[in-house]
């Protein structure tokens, strides 16, 4: 099976291949630590609002990441077409 077939049949998971560098890992730790501190100070109502905020933010990130992936894939395909046609 070739790479495109693997991608089509769901055998490839490019997002799982991404490795987090040390800077990103440290930022994630800091983010989690600050979120814990913040939520400890919130009322139940505020916690619910904050969870909704995080859900919206996560959805925006997923949409953005998908668009960036698609644009990169399209650019790569255009580069290949240009190379083949010259």
């Amino acid at each position: 099976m070739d790479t495109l077939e693997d991608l089509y049949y769901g055998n490839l998971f490019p997002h799982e291949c991404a490795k987090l560098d040390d800077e990103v890992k440290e930022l994630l730790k800091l983010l989690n630590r600050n979120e814990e501190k913040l939520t400890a100070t919130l009322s139940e109502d505020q916690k619910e609002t904050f969870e909704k905020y995080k859900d919206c933010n996560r959805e925006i990130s997923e949409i953005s990441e998908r668009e960036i992936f698609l644009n990169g894939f399209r650019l790569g395909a255009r580069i290949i077409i240009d190379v083949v046609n010259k």
Side-chain angles (χ1 to χ4, degrees), residues 1 4 10 12 16 23 27-29 35 39 43-44 46 52 54 60-61 63 66 70-72 76 78 82 84:
M1 199 175 292
L4 284 178
L12 288 180
E16 290 180 358
E23 183 179 12
L27 286 170
L28 285 171
K29 286 179 189 176
E35 182 178 337
T39 54
S43 69
E44 289 305 312
Q46 290 170 324
K52 290 177 183 177
K54 291 190 316 181
I60 289 169
S61 291
I63 291 168
R66 183 185 68 229
L70 293 173
N71 289 336
R78 285 195 309 264
D82 284 350
V84 170

Side-chain angles (χ1 to χ4, degrees), residues 4 6 13 21 25-26 37 45 47 51-52 58 61 66 69 72 74 79-80 82-83:
L4 284 178
D6 282 339
F13 305 95
D21 64 17
K25 288 178 185 177
E26 284 302 313
K37 285 181 183 179
D45 220 22
K47 286 178 184 178
E51 285 301 316
K52 290 177 183 177
R58 186 176 9 260
S61 291
R66 183 185 68 229
F69 171 80
R74 288 180 186 120
I79 291 170
I80 291 169
D82 284 350
V83 169

Side-chain angles (χ1 to χ4, degrees), residues 7-70:
L7 189 59
Y8 176 81
Y9 288 113
N11 298 327
L12 288 180
F13 305 95
H15 58 282
E16 290 180 358
C17 296
K19 294 181 182 172
L20 301 178
D21 64 17
D22 290 339
E23 183 179 12
V24 174
K25 288 178 185 177
E26 284 302 313
L27 286 170
L28 285 171
K29 286 179 189 176
L30 181 60
L31 179 72
N32 288 330
R33 199 167 42 246
N34 286 328
E35 182 178 337
E36 288 173 6
K37 285 181 183 179
L38 175 63
T39 54
T41 66
L42 300 177
S43 69
E44 289 305 312
D45 220 22
Q46 290 170 324
K47 286 178 184 178
E48 185 178 324
T49 301
F50 184 55
E51 285 301 316
K52 290 177 183 177
Y53 167 83
K54 291 190 316 181
D55 290 342
C56 289
N57 195 34
R58 186 176 9 260
E59 191 171 338
I60 289 169
S61 291
E62 289 171 0
I63 291 168
S64 296
E65 289 172 7
R66 183 185 68 229
E67 289 303 312
I68 291 167
F69 171 80
L70 293 173

